[in-house]
Amino acid sequence: LIREKVRGKFTSVNFEDYLQTGKNPPKRRIRDFMVLGPFVLETGGALEAEYLYERHLVLDRDYLASSGGEEAAVPYLGLRVKNDYFGEEELEWSRGQEKWDCLRFDSGDYNACDRALYATPQRNCVYYAATYIDCKKDFDAVLSYETSGSKLFLNGKLIDNKPYGRVKGLPNYGNQVAISLNKGRNLLMFKIRTGYICDTIDLSLSNCALFPLIARSGNLGLAYPMTTGAFVGSKEEPRQIFPAFVGAFGDSEGGELELEAGAYKENIKLPSLKAGECDYVRLPVPAGKEERELEAKISLFEKGEKAVRSRYIFKTAVYDGFEGTEHVYSDFHFDTTYHQEQQ
């Protein structure tokens, strides 16, 4: 249905490019997006004064309502959309631009891209960013991303609501959501708000990555691992860390993951997860005295379901002898009167 409704040029990716099919690593990042905005919402004094705690209100409005609504959106380049808010009467879907390894919405000269952004002290606006994912059959995957605060739609359905972005100084793997893609063309659409002083990102989408599954048991699915240069264990027996996400494709009471790499074995308990939620696991794989490929056995099972066994080839690096201390961070927010000085 989506394929039939698209009436112009558009951005898209092929899911098969993200699958491991040979020696070359598969794609991870989704970089090419269509963008629409800004939609600038007029707000009352209460929001202006307490914006730190009410940023989600800016995302609650359906800015595409006059053009059929967010659930029915089928964007393509050049499509014009009615704007019921500050600024131009119509806005046009255009190709997004990448800067600083992020999808940005400014003009490239470090200034806001539209005067309408400053119609209110808090720049209460949103942008939409969308692309299509083409699949030769149904696929499950984990999508990872970071924004300044957003809602995420897949084929018109709201699948993730993260109105508050990553906090300054606290790097992590961002947001993850388990997604099920249909055979054919799928629409992935973000609705992104402006950041604030406590946000790392002012207004952008970054690190949008797609991770297919290597194993699924019941409602739990293990996605392709990532590679890091970090090691655990001892100098004599170093193990390289390969982070991975486990997604819930339905409510799950948890389960267990077993890694068998050579003579090394480790069992990892998996927590209960609601549909769409993801858990982060670290797979410690023994490293050698030189770079090598090591085939490991991975077993995944959800409580009450049969174990599903898979094999995965890890490419390990050589431990460089570094010793350090791992720190664990927690979130925090802070507020200032900076917006008043800016005004």
Side-chain angles (χ1 to χ4, degrees), residues 22-49:
K23 291 186 176 181
N24 295 326
K27 281 187 177 181
R28 281 290 167 266
R29 296 279 294 275
I30 301 177
R31 297 181 179 274
D32 204 9
F33 286 89
M34 301 171 287
V35 298
L36 177 70
F39 291 93
V40 185
L41 178 67
E42 182 177 9
T43 57
L47 183 68
E48 302 295 344

Side-chain angles (χ1 to χ4, degrees), residues 101-307:
D101 203 31
C102 300
L103 175 69
R104 299 288 299 186
F105 301 92
D106 55 34
S107 59
D109 59 0
Y110 302 98
N111 293 316
C113 62
D114 196 297
R115 292 183 180 181
L117 281 174
Y118 293 96
T120 63
Q122 299 299 343
R123 296 176 293 156
N124 301 321
C125 86
V126 303
Y127 275 82
Y128 291 91
T131 197
Y132 293 100
I133 303 176
D134 291 335
C135 301
K136 292 183 178 179
K137 63 178 184 178
D138 293 348
F139 283 108
D140 294 324
V142 171
L143 185 77
S144 181
Y145 66 93
E146 287 187 284
T147 67
S148 46
S150 65
K151 287 186 175 182
L152 175 59
F153 299 84
L154 178 61
N155 296 329
K157 180 182 178 182
L158 179 65
I159 61 170
D160 206 20
N161 183 10
K162 296 292 190 303
Y164 296 91
R166 176 162 62 87
V167 181
K168 281 182 179 177
L170 296 177
N172 56 34
Y173 285 106
N175 304 312
Q176 290 79 43
V177 58
I179 63 173
S180 293
L181 299 166
N182 302 323
K183 178 181 178 181
R185 181 156 292 154
N186 298 265
L187 172 61
L188 188 72
M189 186 171 75
F190 290 90
K191 180 182 183 181
I192 305 169
R193 66 161 183 82
T194 50
Y196 194 47
I197 303 305
C198 63
D199 296 313
T200 300
I201 307 168
D202 181 48
L203 177 61
S204 71
L205 167 65
S206 66
N207 299 320
C208 185
L210 192 60
F211 296 90
L213 301 187
I214 60 174
R216 176 167 173 176
S217 172
N219 288 329
L220 291 180
L222 173 66
Y224 280 20
M226 298 168 281
T227 302
T228 72
F231 293 79
V232 294
S234 64
K235 285 187 175 182
E236 294 74 24
E237 296 181 349
R239 300 189 298 277
Q240 187 174 352
I241 295 175
F242 290 84
F245 302 120
V246 176
F249 297 87
D251 292 346
S252 173
E253 294 182 2
E256 191 170 337
L257 188 155
E258 181 181 272
L259 172 71
E260 183 178 346
Y264 180 78
K265 291 185 179 181
E266 179 155 334
N267 289 74
I268 301 173
K269 297 292 185 182
L270 302 174
S272 298
L273 296 170
K274 296 292 186 182
E277 292 181 343
C278 296
D279 187 38
Y280 164 83
V281 297
R282 303 198 304 183
L283 306 177
V285 178
K289 295 182 179 180
E290 57 185 27
E291 294 182 359
R292 64 176 181 176
E293 293 185 353
L294 180 62
E295 184 177 74
K297 299 177 183 178
I298 298 175
S299 297
L300 174 70
F301 66 91
E302 182 186 23
K303 290 180 180 178
E305 300 287 340
K306 291 183 179 180

Side-chain angles (χ1 to χ4, degrees), residues 71-91:
E71 293 184 357
V74 184
Y76 54 86
L77 297 172
L79 175 65
R80 299 189 67 81
V81 175
K82 190 175 186 303
N83 177 22
D84 296 323
Y85 306 91
F86 288 111
E88 301 294 329
E89 291 185 3
E90 288 186 328
L91 298 172

